[in-house]
Structure formats: C-alpha cells, structure tokens
Amino acid sequence: MERERTGAIRAVLIDIDGVLTVSWEPLPGAVEAMERLRAAGLPLALVTNTTSRTRASICARLAGAGFPVTVDDILTAPAVTAAYLRENHPGARCLLLNAGDIQDDLTGVTLVEEPEERSSAESDVDVDVVVVGGAGDEFGYAALNRVFHHLQRGAHLVAMHRNLYWRTADGLELDTGAFLLGLERASRVTARITGKPSEAFFAAALAHLGADASTTLMVGDDIESDVLAAQRSGVTGALVKTGKYLPETHRSADGTPDHVLDSFAALPDLLERLARTP
C-alpha cells in the first residue's frame, strides 16, 4: 500500500546502502537513475547511517562504481554527530565505540581511549560522553561492559543510529540497535540519536541542500528510519523493495509510505510523473 502524495519534487534525499548498493556493489539500474537525476539538474544529497567509512571514502567507492557524486553530496551520521557534540557537549571527552575508522569526520571532537587489558571497574579514564556508532567485532562483552560502567558513572549516551540490522551480500547482519537496547535498559539511560530517524538529521539534510521539506523526497529501504521518519519531518517518502526491505516489516509498519518502488531505478520516472501531476 502507498498513499501517493503528488506534487513536483525539487530536491531528493537518497539512502545509500540497500538503495544504491549492497556491500558497495551497485544495484541494477542505480547508476543510470542517478545520471538521469543529475541530467535533470535536481539537487540531491546521499544521506546515510553508514559508520564504517568517512565521507571521502564513501565518495571514492561510489564514484569508482560509476555514480556521479562528490564528497559534498554525502551527509553521514558521523558528520552530523560531530556537529551535535560540538554544539551540545563542547570540549567533552568522548569514548567512541564503532566498527571502522571515522575520525576524519569527527572534527572538533575530543576522543579518549582505554587500554583493553584494563577492566571496567579499574578504568580511570574520565569520559563525559559515550558515542556509539556502527556495530562490528568491536562490540564484544568487554567493550560493552566498559560502556555500561561509564554510563553508570554519569556519562551521556549518544548513538549515531539504532538500526537493528542491515543487508550485506551474505544476508542480514545485526547492527547497533540490537546492542543499544540492552545498554539503555541496563543503564537506565536513553540514547540521543543523531542519525536517521532523528528529526535533527533530516533538518540537517534539508539545510545542507537549502531545500524545503514540502518539495523534497526521501528514498530508502528502511520503512521506519528512512521513509516514515522523513514523512514525520514533512518530507515525501519513497520506499524501495531492495536492501533490507521485507514484506512483513512493510505490512506491520506504523505508517504508510507516500510511494513504493521496486527499486531506485524507478525513481526518475516517478519524479517525472509527479511533475506532470497538478
């Protein structure tokens, strides 16, 4: 089901993983569709919760696969997180738990490290904010327990997203949300989410493009974090049936997407149809 919101679209927000690529390999027709958007002169931003790569690394990988993108087109959860920390926790000592090196996108953030051999109870590192990024092998018991102890001592908890899983070439894999729920429950601390589906993330994306929510469309494979979250921010939502899309998740969602597409390849035709509809 979809609710077919009509009206011309003047800017587009595009998720990457599961929409343009899976395991960084382009999905069928995705490059060509992006080229059509560029030819139409439509402002766009690639908005992603990816926390394993920097903006520059993401751009290099996509451009190498044929996508016509630049670094300025890419807005990531780490970059938005850095802006949030600079504004709300200036000078804070931050402990980062994340799979992948994203320090280049955390400008102005003071990161501290703990010796792995030291137990949680013995930690003498002063941590003001625990920052949780994308899940991976780093999310072992010792690391999670150290985070738990810092939260018990009063550290704030900031998470780049709370996605439960993501799609790889080998199938669905657990993501941060599966661990974050346990940390929140055990510590009785609620995380501040800086990436999708937070309203602040979509506000940052719209500001990045200088776009108005009412004439912007978000296309994603996650009905909750991408599509319905965008719609709550006044942005038109388009759900694609690729990546992490599951029919049962679609049916049980708390809302209805404005549009449903088989894939990103169908987006240019949708936009042309909307432009012709009064």
Side-chain angles (χ1 to χ4, degrees), residues 93-105:
R93 294 169 60 82
C94 301
L95 178 68
L96 174 65
L97 178 61
N98 181 66
D101 184 4
I102 55 172
Q103 292 194 30
D104 286 350
D105 282 348

Side-chain angles (χ1 to χ4, degrees), residues 12 14-15 19-20 28-31 33-34 37 67 219 240 242 261-268:
V12 180
I14 306 166
D15 184 33
V19 176
L20 300 179
V31 171
M34 180 74 76
L37 297 186
F67 288 100
V219 55
V240 292
T242 55
L261 304 173
D262 286 337
S263 72
F264 181 75
L267 181 64

Side-chain angles (χ1 to χ4, degrees), residues 228-251:
L228 298 182
Q231 291 177 191
R232 287 192 292 271
S233 294
V235 174
T236 299
L239 176 67
V240 292
K241 296 181 178 181
T242 55
K244 66 166 63 172
Y245 174 86
L246 295 172
E248 55 267 34
T249 305
H250 186 177
R251 288 192 298 267

Side-chain angles (χ1 to χ4, degrees), residues 36-272:
R36 287 178 63 183
L37 297 186
R38 287 299 197 196
L42 199 64
L44 59 86
L46 277 56
V47 291
T48 177
N49 279 346
T50 296
T51 55
S52 60
R53 293 173 179 267
T54 62
R55 294 168 66 226
S57 174
I58 292 170
C59 178
R61 190 66 184 259
L62 292 176
F67 288 100
V69 298
T70 68
V71 171
D72 289 339
D73 296 322
I74 299 169
L75 186 65
T76 65
V80 173
T81 300
Y84 171 81
L85 292 171
R86 290 193 300 269
E87 180 177 353
N88 294 277
H89 299 281
R93 294 169 60 82
C94 301
L95 178 68
L96 174 65
L97 178 61
N98 181 66
D101 184 4
I102 55 172
Q103 292 194 30
D104 286 350
D105 282 348
L106 296 177
T107 54
V109 176
T110 301
L111 297 178
V112 298
E113 295 184 1
E114 289 185 313
E116 292 189 3
E117 65 274 7
R118 184 179 292 254
S119 72
S120 303
E122 296 174 330
S123 175
D124 58 4
V125 175
D126 184 19
V127 172
D128 303 308
V129 182
V130 172
V131 182
V132 180
D137 292 341
E138 292 82 356
F139 280 57
Y141 176 80
L144 290 168
N145 202 39
R146 283 195 294 272
V147 166
F148 173 57
H149 279 272
H150 284 300
L151 296 177
Q152 286 183 302
R153 297 184 187 113
H156 297 275
L157 178 59
V158 173
M160 297 184 191
H161 62 80
R162 58 168 72 251
N163 295 348
L164 293 171
Y165 52 83
W166 61 299
R167 172 76 66 179
T168 72
D170 297 322
L172 296 178
E173 303 281 348
L174 277 180
D175 209 341
T176 301
F179 303 94
L180 186 61
L181 287 169
L183 285 172
E184 289 178 314
R185 182 83 176 269
S187 64
R188 296 184 176 87
V189 173
T190 301
R192 175 60 184 255
I193 307 300
T194 51
K196 296 178 291 183
S198 72
E199 291 185 8
F201 185 91
F202 288 102
L206 292 170
H208 180 74
L209 288 179
D212 185 82
S214 64
T215 55
T216 300
L217 180 143
M218 169 73 203
V219 55
D221 65 326
D222 187 318
I223 189 169
E224 297 290 349
S225 293
D226 292 336
V227 180
L228 298 182
Q231 291 177 191
R232 287 192 292 271
S233 294
V235 174
T236 299
L239 176 67
V240 292
K241 296 181 178 181
T242 55
K244 66 166 63 172
Y245 174 86
L246 295 172
E248 55 267 34
T249 305
H250 186 177
R251 288 192 298 267
S252 64
D254 291 333
T256 303
D258 293 317
H259 306 280
V260 180
L261 304 173
D262 286 337
S263 72
F264 181 75
L267 181 64
D269 289 341
L270 170 66
L271 296 177
E272 290 177 3

